[in-house]
Amino acid sequence: MLAAQLSDYLAEMDISATELQQKQLVGFVEMLNKWNKAYNLTSVRSPEQMLIRHVMDSLVVSPYLEGQRFIDVGTGPGLPGIPLAILNPDKEFVLLDSLGKRIRFQKQVQFELKINNFTSIESRVEAYQPEQKFDGVLSRAFASIADMLNWCHHLPKENGLFYALKGQLTAAELTAIPAEFTLVDTITLEVPKLEEQRHLLKLVKV
């Protein structure tokens, strides 16, 4: 059921995935559903909705990633980082979250589904000092773009991009972008079966 739905959604979004990648994506949803009952990792309760609201909502960003090395800040159970890592085995992802139960879940996903291109780190973003900076900083869960930029300003390499995944955009939020950052692009995203607004904002530190 989930596998057939995933296949349909990928075709609708014009995203190609191998048989193994599709198995891993379905496996991720099944593990999230199982762990969620005990650890409350997401408010989304049905696997069908997890596939749409978490997996497809993450994969829709994939065509816009530039570079090799990314950090997913406030990743929660691994969103968008794990679906993106599955779809982009040639790229490297660091998944950052401050809650141990989320990190344990990610590590179990990595072990069971044999995904070797992400690293899970338990830390608050302002305390995390990477040895190597990133081509891109991803965030799907930050309250505001301004907060994301203020807390993550030390993470990208020079000319590295910030990727802010947002629902609705307000003029107030856009005008609150700090002066030392430039909005490079605003992309309207379409997620199958999701009747809600989705946007990707690409920003760079000047």
Side-chain angles (χ1 to χ4, degrees):
M1 176 87 167
L2 282 175
Q5 286 171 332
L6 173 65
S7 179
D8 288 348
Y9 298 155
L10 288 169
E12 198 177 319
M13 290 163 69
D14 203 20
I15 290 175
S16 57
T18 64
E19 200 176 321
L20 172 63
Q21 288 170 328
Q22 293 187 44
K23 270 191 176 148
Q24 288 173 322
L25 290 165
V26 169
F28 173 66
V29 172
E30 289 170 346
M31 287 186 70
L32 183 57
N33 183 48
K34 185 172 127 189
W35 275 61
N36 202 40
K37 293 181 172 83
Y39 295 100
N40 202 25
L41 298 168
T42 167
S43 60
V44 179
R45 293 287 174 236
S46 83
E48 292 76 19
Q49 283 298 310
M50 287 175 182
L51 182 61
I52 295 165
R53 292 185 164 276
H54 290 330
V55 172
M56 306 319 295
D57 201 29
S58 297
L59 295 182
V60 73
V61 180
S62 185
Y64 304 102
L65 297 181
E66 299 171 37
Q68 287 304 114
R69 195 172 139 75
F70 298 87
I71 182 166
D72 176 11
V73 178
T75 183
L79 298 161
I82 291 177
L84 289 173
I86 290 171
L87 201 65
N88 297 277
D90 57 324
K91 300 187 192 302
E92 187 187 334
F93 294 83
V94 169
L95 276 52
L96 193 72
D97 201 274
S98 58
L99 267 188
K101 66 178 181 179
R102 295 171 180 163
I103 298 296
R104 284 193 297 278
F105 169 71
Q106 293 168 29
K107 288 183 171 173
Q108 192 61 29
V109 166
Q110 183 162 47
F111 172 73
E112 285 190 29
L113 301 182
K114 299 179 174 55
I115 308 163
N116 57 17
N117 60 326
F118 76 81
T119 308
S120 300
I121 292 176
E122 184 179 342
S123 172
R124 294 181 63 81
V125 62
E126 54 271 41
Y128 177 62
Q129 297 295 333
E131 286 173 30
Q132 194 186 344
K133 305 272 186 173
F134 297 92
D135 295 313
V137 179
L138 290 151
S139 177
R140 181 172 179 266
F142 264 78
S144 75
I145 297 165
D147 280 348
M148 175 196 177
L149 297 171
N150 286 326
W151 293 347
C152 304
H153 65 90
H154 60 297
L155 297 175
K157 56 174 71 161
E158 196 178 347
N159 297 323
L161 287 169
F162 293 88
Y163 298 84
L165 284 72
K166 301 293 294 182
Q168 279 186 303
L169 283 180
T170 64
E173 186 166 21
L174 293 175
T175 52
I177 292 171
E180 66 269 30
F181 297 92
T182 297
L183 180 59
V184 179
D185 203 358
T186 305
I187 299 152
T188 302
L189 304 171
E190 297 286 337
V191 180
K193 300 281 182 281
L194 198 60
E195 300 293 317
E196 297 163 23
Q197 289 187 22
R198 286 290 184 271
H199 295 92
L200 170 64
L201 278 70
K202 291 163 82 167
L203 304 107
V204 69
K205 196 172 182 182
V206 183

